[in-house]
Amino acid sequence: MSSRKSWTLPYIIFSAIFVVIPLFLIVVYAFTDDNGHLTLANFQKFFEHPEAINTFVYSIGIAIITTIVCILLGYPAAWILSNSKLNRSKTMVVLFILPMWVNILVRTLATVALFDFFSVPLGEGALIFGMVYNFIPFMIYPIYNTLQKMDHSYIEAAQDLGANPLQVFLKAVLPLSMPGVMSGIMMVFMPTISTFAIAELLTMNNIKLFGTTIQENINNSMWNYGAALSLIMLLLIAATSLFSTDDKDNANEGGGLW
């Protein structure tokens, strides 16, 4: 037992240094001013500035659009990859996952070069395209894993009971694949809200996301206000995570597919 505990010590130290302490500092800076006094002025400043609120709401909208597009494109791709009748080569899986092995900045710069080559103007459309391109593998992979591990006896039972292909999908496949869909939503929605490099490169810094606002305040040494904005974003992400967990629990308590 002592040897097992000693193996966990490096992970505890790593988590404390790179997770717990940074989060603690964000909370401390968010609720203090430049002199170290407790204050709510940082949050008051956010709610009193319509530009910051508009950027926050706009970032949520971009994240929602990106997530929806990733679901619409990623679910069929994951289903094709998991269907042995349509896909007999593991190479196809690697090709879909391969972009995850390349740095996100490199992929974004390649997208900018592609748009320049075809003389496509950079802007909101390019931003959404870049978001989808960068994050769609994070939607495909969890759905693909869920569909791969799915018990196909449910599908066969639905077919034996006379369900047509659409009913089989809506009543059996979709409910069973929801854990993968929810994981994909979290893996796409959360980084989309906080990213700033993609917006800067694909819009020539003409469109600001909430992550860009945080970065600008930190770069301008406005640590307290930047920490408050970061805490607001973290609370939104935490609320989204709790909502996702509740949905999974409700699905598990349903007692069946029908």
Side-chain angles (χ1 to χ4, degrees), residues 43 46 53 55-64 186 189-194 210-211 214 228-244:
F43 298 95
F46 168 73
I53 296 178
T55 302
F56 183 63
V57 174
Y58 181 79
S59 300
I60 295 176
I62 291 294
I64 292 174
M186 296 304 301
F189 183 80
M190 290 191 295
T192 303
I193 293 179
S194 59
F210 201 61
I214 296 174
L229 297 179
S230 300
L231 185 58
I232 292 172
M233 184 180 65
L234 288 174
L235 291 175
L236 173 64
I237 294 174
T240 307
S241 302
L242 292 175
F243 178 77
S244 172

Side-chain angles (χ1 to χ4, degrees), residues 3-202:
S3 61
R4 291 182 180 179
K5 291 181 179 179
S6 63
W7 278 105
T8 62
L9 185 60
Y11 300 98
I12 296 175
I13 296 174
F14 180 88
S15 299
I17 296 175
F18 295 103
V19 178
V20 178
I21 294 178
L23 289 175
F24 175 76
L25 291 176
I26 289 176
V27 174
V28 171
Y29 274 100
F31 288 96
T32 56
D33 56 19
D34 295 334
N35 297 321
H37 300 142
L38 290 175
T39 181
L40 296 176
N42 298 315
F43 298 95
Q44 183 179 356
K45 181 179 179 181
F46 168 73
F47 289 108
E48 290 179 351
H49 284 72
E51 182 180 355
I53 296 178
N54 291 337
T55 302
F56 183 63
V57 174
Y58 181 79
S59 300
I60 295 176
I62 291 294
I64 292 174
I65 294 174
T66 301
T67 304
I68 292 174
V69 175
C70 285
I71 292 175
L72 294 177
L73 297 178
Y75 198 103
W79 183 75
I80 291 172
L81 291 176
S82 64
N83 194 321
S84 60
K85 296 180 180 179
L86 301 177
N87 173 45
R88 298 182 180 276
S89 175
K90 295 298 182 182
T91 306
M92 292 295 297
V93 179
V94 176
L95 290 177
F96 273 93
I97 306 302
L98 189 61
M100 298 176 63
W101 302 349
V102 181
N103 185 274
I104 189 172
L105 290 178
V106 175
R107 298 200 303 268
T108 305
L109 289 172
T111 306
V112 173
L114 183 65
F115 283 175
D116 289 340
F117 179 78
F118 289 105
S119 300
V120 178
L122 300 178
E124 190 174 61
L127 172 61
I128 295 176
F129 179 89
M131 292 286 193
V132 173
Y133 168 67
N134 279 288
F135 294 117
I136 194 170
F138 298 97
M139 181 65 71
I140 294 175
Y141 191 63
I143 298 177
Y144 166 76
N145 274 340
T146 303
L147 292 175
Q148 277 283 92
K149 299 175 182 178
M150 185 172 57
D151 188 353
H152 290 272
S153 62
Y154 288 106
I155 299 177
E156 295 173 358
Q159 292 172 341
D160 292 340
L161 291 172
N164 58 43
L166 180 60
Q167 291 174 326
V168 170
F169 174 76
L170 294 177
K171 296 293 186 178
V173 177
L174 185 60
L176 289 172
S177 63
M178 283 307 296
V181 174
M182 296 306 301
S183 297
I185 290 174
M186 296 304 301
M187 294 176 68
V188 172
F189 183 80
M190 290 191 295
T192 303
I193 293 179
S194 59
T195 187
F196 58 89
I198 299 176
E200 291 181 359
L201 293 173
L202 289 177

